[in-house]
Amino acid sequence: MSGKQRTATYPVGDSYVSEGVIAAASSGPAAPGPAGEPGEPLLVVEDLRVQFTRGGRRINAVNGLSYELLPGSMMAIIGESGSGKSVSSRALMGLLPPTATITGSVSFAGRELIGMPEREMRELRGGDIAMVFQDPARSLNPTMKIGAQVTEAIRLHSDSDRKGAHARAIELLRMVRLPAPERRFHEYPHQLSGGMRQRVMIAIALAGEPRLLIADEATTALDVTTQAQIMELLVELQQRLGMAVVMISHDLGLAASYAQDVVVMYAGRAVEHAPTATLFGNVRMPYTRALLGAIPALEREPHSLFEVTPGQPPDLSALPKGCPFRPRCPNALDRCVEMPPFREHEPEHWWACWNPVGDETGNGEQE
Amino acid sequence: MTTAALPQVPGTRDPRVSRTSRVTRFAGSPVLRLVVKRLLMAIPIMLGVTVLTFWVLSLIPGNAAQQLLGPEATPEQVAQLEEQLGLNRPGYVRYGEWLRGAVTGDLGRSIVSNQPVSDLLGERLPVTGELVLLAFVVSLVLAVPVALLAAHRPGGVWDRISMVVSTAGLSVANYVLALILVLVFAVQLGVLPAIGFTPLSEGLWPNVRSLILPSAAIGLPLFCFYARFLRGDLVDQMQQEEYVTTARAKGVGSWQVLIRHAFRNSSFGLITVVGLNLGALIGGTVIIEQIFALPGIGQMLLQAINTRDFIMVQAVVVVFALVAVVANLVVDLLYAVLDPRIRYGSR
Ligand SMILES: Nc1ncnc2c1ncn2[C@@H]1O[C@H](COP(=O)(O)OP(=O)(O)O)[C@@H](O)[C@H]1O
Ligand code: SF4
Ligand SMILES: [Mg+2]
């Protein structure tokens, strides 16, 4: 672990640290939070908003997304295509084009990422926060050898020399179980299969020893068998290296099989968030219900979209007033023209709905 | 890309994958097939171009005999010389005769001066070659950094400046530019010669000095074109290609992403454009050589047309067409050498 900013962390009660230092550390503006302590989230996303301006039109891709992620855990973000999963995760890494306006707050290990200067952000990218993308055929540079692409990442985040980086690259390629890593090192991406390329992408992501790995539909482009292998690999690495993983997917089944927590997104917001078992045992959002209903558990196609969900996904440049799911919602009430708040209604179970599934009384919000 | 999606086991029987040894890779290689294909394609091109030239020349009034004897000559004198030069025979006979020589490498003798065409080409080609090379090198060497600077921040100050400059540069015809350059650097400032060519045998600097203005007249529009093309391609790569996002997600700095990642991929497009350009470019030398009184092949072409010396015209046309064909071949070969997807044959 790089420990760049963890050296500045003073665990409360540490006998070597005087009261004064603790006070100074926790009151200073740059004081990092006590990251890594059990119970303290690694990532806190609060009211994240992303708006694109394109040809005079405003596209509200993310509209007040909030969630928390514990260190070392695996969380899934699911939602239909266009619900803002990719945009929100790219926003927190500062990977969006300049046409994007980002507001809200993303705190990573106590550091605010939104508005962070590019120089600092660059240290974090590929260092403490890494990302794997959907299409392994397009996400590797076609004109560079595998080895060069892995060692580039290694050398950016450590001061190893050529030889050291080479050895480390082979080690990483072995860790992601790429067959014949020494030979593959000298090959180009097109000489590898899709699954192998995604393993290389993961090796690149691991180069900076990240504390957070975001896998954006990392298995969507792969066949079912390879998909399972890559997911197993991610789970294994997550446990072995103690890193947190956010797996973004439109595949509810995949999320259910691998993630500890699930965030359901709709129209750029989190609409339901709970530990996986809680969520699937006690669905509260009509939208999540619709997603589940759209996919009969046994006959589910591995890459099936939620095509049975009635109605169209919302137009992000003209969102309806109140709950964005209202035009498609079977539970809709008059009250739904007001935006339902996203709250922890039951222990560890958050949702944003006036009339949730299970207690359709017409006044689901009891307060 | 289709094969890439399949799992590839070592020792697979797919010939595109198992082509590991250097020897086998070359024998059935796409490179060799490419060269042969291109050379076969060149045959109809050369035939078409020379027939067309021959036919167009025959439509222009007057022939070499009349040009040689001048307006005072009597019809009898002209007819006599025509017979002597063989000009009274039908066109297809003369073309056939020329072609028979040409395929054996004998381009014949100038009708007007009776010198062997190959000697004349040997004198003139180096001048044009040097001019074109200089224009090329200068325009590319300038275009690459300007394009990188512009593409680093699309819509930024450098991008806008380079856009204005290149638009201006592209909208000026090269002969107008030539006259402006002569006016400024030769007439007003007097730092460079307005016309004439100094051969390399009289020293490198005098030689280069005599070519600065003509090569600038050819190279500046070229520079604008390359800079603009490369800038556009770089911006496309940066905005649309996922490998760029991967590089940025690794923590690679913006200049490094541009140079190490995007430029590498954009260079293929640039090579294509440069190669396709070469044919047009060498045609453009005709007028520039005329303006700057350079004893190149373009100047020779104009003289040959004026004297209706069809043998000489054919020779120049053949050279131009050959340059275009070879340039295209070189582009494809460069692709094969530079692009690993072709080098290791996957598509
Ligand atoms: N660069 C961009 N400019 C404008 N709109 C964008 C841009 N990137 C994404 N969007 C829009 O933002 C919305 C959310 O996209 P995304 O986060 O990619 O969805 P997904 O949940 O499928 O990952 C989509 O409607 C998409 O069209
Ligand atoms: S708030 Fe209303 S419209 Fe929105 S999901 Fe709940 S019931 Fe449906
Ligand atoms: Mg996406």
Side-chain angles (χ1 to χ4, degrees):
Chain A
M1 286 284 160
S2 55
K4 269 159 292 192
Q5 62 281 340
R6 249 157 305 161
T7 51
T9 309
Y10 303 94
V12 180
D14 188 320
S15 56
Y16 294 105
V17 182
S18 72
E19 295 289 326
V21 173
I22 295 172
S26 52
S27 64
E37 270 182 42
E40 281 299 326
L42 175 68
L43 184 73
V44 182
V45 177
E46 251 184 279
D47 198 30
L48 181 68
R49 286 165 197 276
V50 180
Q51 189 179 61
F52 292 102
T53 314
R54 192 154 64 181
R57 234 164 53 102
R58 282 171 213 280
I59 300 160
N60 301 293
V62 183
N63 301 294
L65 174 66
S66 302
Y67 64 82
E68 291 185 358
L69 173 72
L70 291 176
S73 67
M74 181 176 282
M75 190 178 88
I77 298 182
I78 59 165
E80 287 167 298
S81 171
S83 54
K85 306 181 297 290
S86 299
V87 169
S88 56
S89 52
R90 280 170 197 228
L92 68 91
M93 280 186 87
L95 289 177
L96 289 177
T99 49
T101 313
I102 308 168
T103 54
S105 156
V106 175
S107 156
F108 175 79
R111 299 167 78 190
E112 178 58 49
L113 300 185
I114 304 302
M116 180 181 266
E118 174 67 16
R119 284 170 122 261
E120 267 180 75
M121 195 72 219
R122 215 163 73 206
E123 299 252 304
L124 280 181
R125 274 191 219 126
D128 276 342
I129 309 178
M131 200 157 174
V132 176
F133 300 99
Q134 171 167 349
D135 187 356
R138 294 184 63 229
S139 45
L140 288 166
N141 189 332
T143 60
M144 272 170 93
K145 289 184 178 171
I146 299 300
Q149 302 193 47
V150 181
T151 47
E152 182 181 44
I154 293 168
R155 298 193 69 176
L156 279 166
H157 298 285
S158 67
D159 35 47
S160 47
D161 56 2
R162 272 181 74 94
K163 259 184 79 181
H166 181 276
R168 174 88 179 120
I170 298 288
E171 186 189 328
L172 286 172
L173 292 174
R174 200 162 276 140
M175 196 188 281
V176 298
R177 288 201 290 280
L178 182 78
E182 278 94 354
R183 179 159 62 88
R184 298 299 182 189
F185 189 92
H186 299 288
E187 291 188 345
Y188 288 92
H190 75 272
Q191 294 170 283
L192 273 58
S193 68
M196 285 195 239
R197 286 188 205 132
Q198 204 58 300
R199 288 176 194 275
V200 171
M201 279 298 292
I202 295 170
I204 289 173
L206 296 180
E209 300 179 351
R211 285 198 278 169
L212 170 62
L213 175 71
I214 302 171
D216 188 354
E217 309 256 11
T219 61
T220 305
L222 306 173
D223 64 81
V224 194
T225 321
T226 319
Q227 181 174 48
Q229 286 170 356
I230 296 289
M231 281 314 304
E232 301 291 344
L233 175 68
L234 282 176
V235 170
E236 181 201 315
L237 292 168
Q238 174 232 340
Q239 285 165 2
R240 204 163 114 197
L241 307 174
M243 65 182 178
V245 175
V246 172
M247 56 166 287
I248 295 172
S249 179
H250 60 260
D251 187 335
L252 211 57
L254 204 68
S257 328
Y258 295 100
Q260 289 145 22
D261 282 276
V262 176
V263 172
V264 179
M265 274 186 82
Y266 188 78
R269 284 181 89 203
V271 292
E272 188 160 16
H273 179 182
T276 311
T278 312
L279 184 85
F280 289 104
N282 181 23
V283 171
R284 304 313 298 263
M285 275 302 290
Y287 175 62
T288 316
R289 171 90 270 157
L291 291 187
L292 281 170
I295 310 163
L298 289 174
E299 293 143 41
R300 195 177 58 78
E301 292 264 319
H303 296 309
S304 61
L305 294 164
F306 313 116
E307 62 274 277
V308 191
T309 315
Q312 293 289 312
D315 178 357
L316 295 175
S317 51
L319 284 171
K321 201 168 130 41
C323 175
F325 190 53
R326 188 162 48 94
R328 301 164 80 182
C329 182
N331 285 20
L333 307 170
D334 291 346
R335 192 172 181 189
C336 302
V337 292
E338 278 170 59
M339 184 65 105
F342 183 58
R343 288 221 187 105
E344 191 173 10
H345 294 281
E346 287 166 10
E348 295 197 297
H349 196 162
W350 299 60
W351 67 78
C353 182
W354 295 123
N355 191 19
V357 179
D359 50 17
E360 282 97 340
T361 58
N363 55 354
E365 179 75 1
Q366 275 122 24
E367 253 167 274
Chain B
M1 281 292 139
T2 47
T3 55
L6 300 167
Q8 290 169 7
V9 184
T12 168
R13 304 185 59 174
D14 185 342
R16 285 163 295 194
V17 181
S18 64
R19 204 182 290 128
T20 41
S21 108
R22 259 167 194 277
V23 182
T24 48
R25 195 192 299 155
F26 195 75
S29 83
V31 174
L32 199 66
R33 249 180 297 143
L34 189 87
V35 173
V36 172
K37 205 172 102 187
R38 276 304 158 89
L39 292 181
L40 288 177
M41 259 169 61
I43 295 172
I45 293 175
M46 302 303 285
L47 278 178
V49 165
T50 51
V51 168
L52 205 65
T53 311
F54 208 89
W55 180 65
V56 170
L57 272 183
S58 71
L59 294 181
I60 308 175
N63 61 25
Q66 283 159 351
Q67 299 298 318
L68 276 174
L69 294 171
E72 312 288 289
T74 62
E76 289 75 29
Q77 287 172 310
V78 173
Q80 197 191 349
L81 189 59
E82 275 176 1
E83 185 158 354
Q84 211 179 318
L85 295 172
L87 296 178
N88 53 349
R89 295 170 302 158
Y92 62 89
V93 175
R94 287 181 287 142
Y95 178 78
E97 194 179 87
W98 174 84
L99 188 64
R100 217 170 307 129
V103 292
T104 60
D106 176 12
L107 288 172
R109 284 167 176 274
S110 159
I111 297 175
V112 176
S113 68
N114 203 32
Q115 278 180 284
V117 168
S118 45
D119 288 4
L120 291 169
L121 283 180
E123 276 170 35
R124 304 240 171 181
L125 262 180
V127 179
T128 305
E130 212 188 324
L131 176 65
V132 170
L133 193 72
L134 213 59
F136 246 128
V137 170
V138 171
S139 58
L140 270 179
V141 165
L142 288 176
V144 170
V146 166
L148 287 171
L149 204 61
H152 184 245
R153 235 173 255 286
V157 181
W158 291 112
D159 192 25
R160 273 184 270 171
I161 291 177
S162 79
M163 186 62 84
V164 170
V165 170
S166 61
T167 307
L170 280 174
S171 55
V172 178
N174 61 8
Y175 52 88
V176 177
L177 188 61
L179 296 177
I180 295 172
L181 287 171
V182 168
L183 259 174
V184 175
F185 292 97
V187 179
Q188 294 289 322
L189 301 175
V191 288
L192 291 165
I195 56 162
F197 175 73
T198 315
L200 197 56
S201 54
E202 289 175 32
L204 181 64
W205 174 237
N207 169 251
V208 169
R209 204 167 160 255
S210 70
L211 285 175
I212 288 178
L213 288 183
S215 58
I218 298 174
L220 278 177
L222 216 54
F223 150 73
C224 296
F225 179 61
Y226 293 157
R228 206 138 142 183
F229 174 84
L230 183 57
R231 179 258 175 215
D233 201 61
L234 283 170
V235 170
D236 282 354
Q237 301 276 338
M238 294 293 282
Q239 289 179 351
Q240 282 156 26
E241 292 299 331
E242 195 78 328
Y243 72 82
V244 167
T245 316
T246 304
R248 297 219 297 131
K250 282 197 238 180
V252 180
S254 57
W255 280 108
Q256 287 295 309
V257 173
L258 194 65
I259 295 166
R260 268 178 70 99
H261 291 267
F263 180 56
R264 234 183 160 101
N265 285 274
S266 287
S267 61
F268 298 118
L270 185 65
I271 288 170
T272 312
V273 166
V274 169
L276 291 178
N277 236 212
L278 189 60
L281 173 61
I282 197 155
T285 60
V286 173
I287 198 155
I288 294 299
E289 284 177 9
Q290 199 63 20
I291 292 173
F292 288 96
L294 300 176
I297 185 172
Q299 195 192 47
M300 183 167 92
L301 177 67
L302 285 186
Q303 286 169 2
I305 291 173
N306 279 337
T307 55
R308 309 289 187 271
D309 188 342
F310 73 87
I311 298 284
M312 289 303 304
V313 175
Q314 284 292 38
V316 177
V317 166
V318 164
V319 168
F320 282 4
L322 264 183
V323 168
V325 167
V326 170
N328 278 329
L329 180 60
V330 168
V331 166
D332 286 339
L333 288 178
L334 271 179
Y335 251 84
V337 172
L338 293 177
D339 191 336
R341 285 160 297 190
I342 299 176
R343 189 166 9 133
Y344 294 90
S346 86
R347 276 190 252 220

